[in-house]
Amino acid sequence: NAGVTQTPKFQVLKTGQSMTLQCAQDMNHEYMSWYRQDPGMGLRLIHYSVGAGITDQGEVPNGYNVSRSTTEDFPLRLLSAAPSQTSVYFCASRALAGGHTGELFFGEGSRLTVL
Amino acid sequence: DAKTTQPNSMESNEEEPVHLPCNHSTISGTDYIHWYRQLPSQGPEYVIHGLTSNVNNRMASLAIAEDRKSSTLILHRATLRDAAVYYCILVPSGTYKYIFGTGTRLKVLA
């Protein structure tokens, strides 16, 4: 029972490089989202999606792109990495059935360092 | 979006009850109150949620004030494994923006 899978778990980038953080879930959840967590801080919402072809911005969307072409996958793209994007990134998903009572399931996180 | 306010940190002795408070004075009538916790080096995990009535599950209890402007997460017997950051969040009606804030870091003393 895989749940929410994030890859890679660790990544080091140089300033200006691009990369994609992958997130996949096998629970047929319509809702998926990306958060970042800086040291000693809480989680901040970057982008979220309520279904294939539908995405929306969270609290801190600048510098990140997302797309949702399938129910299972929700990749997060950094087009030109900056040191300020050094963080731990978490992907989460939930079923939309049940309205606002649904439980979020989180991945184990991806630690990104931008030099 | 409605905000929540939590103490930065709390301490508890092992096997004693813990009451974690959360203020949400600008809560809307249809906002659900959710609690998550984040163990060290892990992603957050769901604990409990409620709307108006008190709720119990195998992990914890949630007490919601009558005016809904505050709530309390109750761990009935804290264990060392309960040491974590606890987040109180409001899930607004009509959107799916789960805004986490900084949470309360719970330290459990042996």
Short mmCIF file of all heavy atoms in Angstrom, two decimals, chain B residues 30-53:
data_model
loop_
_atom_site.label_atom_id
_atom_site.label_comp_id
_atom_site.label_asym_id
_atom_site.label_seq_id
_atom_site.Cartn_x
_atom_site.Cartn_y
_atom_site.Cartn_z
N THR B 30 -19.14 27.55 8.58
CA THR B 30 -19.02 26.24 7.94
C THR B 30 -17.58 25.75 7.86
O THR B 30 -17.31 24.77 7.18
CB THR B 30 -19.61 26.29 6.52
OG1 THR B 30 -19.00 27.38 5.81
CG2 THR B 30 -21.11 26.51 6.57
N ASP B 31 -16.67 26.43 8.53
CA ASP B 31 -15.27 25.97 8.54
C ASP B 31 -15.12 24.77 9.47
O ASP B 31 -15.52 24.83 10.63
CB ASP B 31 -14.32 27.07 9.04
CG ASP B 31 -14.16 28.21 8.06
OD1 ASP B 31 -14.65 28.08 6.92
OD2 ASP B 31 -13.53 29.21 8.44
N TYR B 32 -14.49 23.72 8.96
CA TYR B 32 -14.15 22.59 9.81
C TYR B 32 -12.83 22.85 10.52
O TYR B 32 -11.95 23.52 9.99
CB TYR B 32 -14.03 21.31 8.98
CG TYR B 32 -15.35 20.64 8.72
CD1 TYR B 32 -16.19 21.07 7.70
CD2 TYR B 32 -15.76 19.56 9.51
CE1 TYR B 32 -17.40 20.45 7.48
CE2 TYR B 32 -16.97 18.94 9.28
CZ TYR B 32 -17.79 19.40 8.27
OH TYR B 32 -18.99 18.78 8.04
N ILE B 33 -12.70 22.31 11.72
CA ILE B 33 -11.47 22.41 12.49
C ILE B 33 -10.75 21.07 12.38
O ILE B 33 -11.30 20.03 12.75
CB ILE B 33 -11.77 22.72 13.97
CG1 ILE B 33 -12.56 24.01 14.09
CG2 ILE B 33 -10.46 22.78 14.78
CD1 ILE B 33 -13.29 24.14 15.42
N HIS B 34 -9.54 21.11 11.85
CA HIS B 34 -8.75 19.90 11.69
C HIS B 34 -7.49 20.00 12.54
O HIS B 34 -6.91 21.08 12.67
CB HIS B 34 -8.32 19.72 10.23
CG HIS B 34 -9.40 19.28 9.31
ND1 HIS B 34 -9.28 18.16 8.50
CD2 HIS B 34 -10.62 19.79 9.04
CE1 HIS B 34 -10.37 18.02 7.80
NE2 HIS B 34 -11.21 18.99 8.10
N TRP B 35 -7.02 18.86 13.02
CA TRP B 35 -5.73 18.79 13.70
C TRP B 35 -4.87 17.75 13.01
O TRP B 35 -5.32 16.64 12.71
CB TRP B 35 -5.91 18.41 15.17
CG TRP B 35 -6.39 19.53 16.03
CD1 TRP B 35 -7.67 19.98 16.18
CD2 TRP B 35 -5.60 20.34 16.90
NE1 TRP B 35 -7.72 21.03 17.05
CE2 TRP B 35 -6.46 21.26 17.53
CE3 TRP B 35 -4.24 20.39 17.21
CZ2 TRP B 35 -6.01 22.22 18.44
CZ3 TRP B 35 -3.79 21.34 18.11
CH2 TRP B 35 -4.67 22.24 18.72
N TYR B 36 -3.63 18.14 12.78
CA TYR B 36 -2.61 17.24 12.26
C TYR B 36 -1.40 17.29 13.18
O TYR B 36 -1.23 18.24 13.94
CB TYR B 36 -2.18 17.65 10.84
CG TYR B 36 -3.19 17.29 9.78
CD1 TYR B 36 -4.36 18.03 9.63
CD2 TYR B 36 -2.98 16.19 8.95
CE1 TYR B 36 -5.29 17.67 8.66
CE2 TYR B 36 -3.91 15.83 7.99
CZ TYR B 36 -5.06 16.58 7.86
OH TYR B 36 -6.00 16.23 6.91
N ARG B 37 -0.57 16.27 13.12
CA ARG B 37 0.68 16.32 13.85
C ARG B 37 1.81 15.86 12.94
O ARG B 37 1.61 15.09 12.00
CB ARG B 37 0.62 15.47 15.11
CG ARG B 37 0.65 13.98 14.88
CD ARG B 37 0.64 13.25 16.22
NE ARG B 37 0.80 11.82 16.07
CZ ARG B 37 0.81 10.98 17.09
NH1 ARG B 37 0.65 11.43 18.34
NH2 ARG B 37 0.96 9.69 16.88
N GLN B 38 3.00 16.37 13.24
CA GLN B 38 4.17 16.03 12.44
C GLN B 38 5.26 15.51 13.36
O GLN B 38 5.82 16.26 14.17
CB GLN B 38 4.67 17.25 11.67
CG GLN B 38 5.79 16.94 10.70
CD GLN B 38 6.16 18.14 9.85
OE1 GLN B 38 5.90 19.29 10.19
NE2 GLN B 38 6.79 17.89 8.71
N LEU B 39 5.51 14.22 13.26
CA LEU B 39 6.60 13.60 14.00
C LEU B 39 7.92 14.00 13.36
O LEU B 39 7.97 14.39 12.18
CB LEU B 39 6.43 12.08 14.00
CG LEU B 39 5.11 11.56 14.59
CD1 LEU B 39 4.95 10.08 14.37
CD2 LEU B 39 5.00 11.90 16.06
N PRO B 40 9.02 13.93 14.10
CA PRO B 40 10.32 14.34 13.56
C PRO B 40 10.65 13.64 12.25
O PRO B 40 10.50 12.43 12.13
CB PRO B 40 11.30 13.97 14.68
CG PRO B 40 10.48 14.01 15.93
CD PRO B 40 9.12 13.54 15.54
N SER B 41 11.07 14.43 11.27
CA SER B 41 11.53 13.93 9.97
C SER B 41 10.44 13.17 9.19
O SER B 41 10.76 12.31 8.37
CB SER B 41 12.75 13.01 10.13
OG SER B 41 13.80 13.72 10.75
N GLN B 42 9.19 13.48 9.45
CA GLN B 42 8.10 12.85 8.72
C GLN B 42 7.14 13.90 8.19
O GLN B 42 7.18 15.06 8.62
CB GLN B 42 7.33 11.88 9.62
CG GLN B 42 8.14 10.68 10.08
CD GLN B 42 7.27 9.67 10.80
OE1 GLN B 42 6.06 9.61 10.59
NE2 GLN B 42 7.87 8.88 11.66
N GLY B 43 6.29 13.48 7.27
CA GLY B 43 5.21 14.35 6.84
C GLY B 43 4.11 14.37 7.89
O GLY B 43 4.02 13.48 8.73
N PRO B 44 3.28 15.41 7.88
CA PRO B 44 2.18 15.47 8.85
C PRO B 44 1.23 14.29 8.70
O PRO B 44 1.12 13.69 7.62
CB PRO B 44 1.48 16.79 8.51
CG PRO B 44 2.52 17.61 7.82
CD PRO B 44 3.34 16.62 7.05
N GLU B 45 0.54 13.98 9.79
CA GLU B 45 -0.49 12.94 9.74
C GLU B 45 -1.75 13.47 10.41
O GLU B 45 -1.69 14.27 11.36
CB GLU B 45 -0.02 11.65 10.43
CG GLU B 45 0.29 11.80 11.89
CD GLU B 45 0.69 10.48 12.55
OE1 GLU B 45 0.68 9.43 11.87
OE2 GLU B 45 1.02 10.51 13.75
N TYR B 46 -2.87 13.01 9.93
CA TYR B 46 -4.18 13.42 10.43
C TYR B 46 -4.38 12.94 11.86
O TYR B 46 -4.00 11.82 12.21
CB TYR B 46 -5.25 12.84 9.51
CG TYR B 46 -6.66 12.94 10.02
CD1 TYR B 46 -7.41 14.10 9.88
CD2 TYR B 46 -7.25 11.85 10.64
CE1 TYR B 46 -8.71 14.17 10.34
CE2 TYR B 46 -8.55 11.91 11.11
CZ TYR B 46 -9.27 13.08 10.95
OH TYR B 46 -10.56 13.15 11.41
N VAL B 47 -4.98 13.79 12.70
CA VAL B 47 -5.31 13.38 14.06
C VAL B 47 -6.82 13.32 14.25
O VAL B 47 -7.37 12.27 14.60
CB VAL B 47 -4.69 14.36 15.10
CG1 VAL B 47 -5.10 13.96 16.51
CG2 VAL B 47 -3.17 14.40 14.97
N ILE B 48 -7.51 14.43 13.99
CA ILE B 48 -8.93 14.49 14.27
C ILE B 48 -9.51 15.73 13.63
O ILE B 48 -8.77 16.65 13.27
CB ILE B 48 -9.15 14.50 15.82
CG1 ILE B 48 -10.56 14.06 16.19
CG2 ILE B 48 -8.79 15.86 16.40
CD1 ILE B 48 -10.70 13.75 17.69
N HIS B 49 -10.82 15.77 13.44
CA HIS B 49 -11.46 16.98 12.96
C HIS B 49 -12.85 17.08 13.56
O HIS B 49 -13.42 16.08 14.04
CB HIS B 49 -11.54 17.00 11.43
CG HIS B 49 -12.59 16.10 10.87
ND1 HIS B 49 -12.33 14.78 10.56
CD2 HIS B 49 -13.89 16.32 10.58
CE1 HIS B 49 -13.42 14.22 10.09
NE2 HIS B 49 -14.39 15.11 10.10
N GLY B 50 -13.42 18.30 13.50
CA GLY B 50 -14.78 18.50 14.00
C GLY B 50 -15.37 19.78 13.45
O GLY B 50 -14.67 20.62 12.88
N LEU B 51 -16.66 19.94 13.66
CA LEU B 51 -17.36 21.14 13.20
C LEU B 51 -17.93 21.91 14.39
O LEU B 51 -17.59 23.06 14.60
CB LEU B 51 -18.48 20.77 12.22
CG LEU B 51 -19.27 21.94 11.63
CD1 LEU B 51 -18.35 22.85 10.82
CD2 LEU B 51 -20.42 21.44 10.76
N THR B 52 -18.81 21.27 15.15
CA THR B 52 -19.41 21.95 16.29
C THR B 52 -19.35 21.10 17.56
O THR B 52 -19.09 21.62 18.64
CB THR B 52 -20.89 22.29 16.02
OG1 THR B 52 -21.58 21.08 15.68
CG2 THR B 52 -21.03 23.28 14.88
N SER B 53 -19.56 19.81 17.41
CA SER B 53 -19.61 18.95 18.60
C SER B 53 -18.24 18.40 18.94
O SER B 53 -17.36 18.30 18.08
CB SER B 53 -20.56 17.77 18.33
OG SER B 53 -21.83 18.24 17.96
#
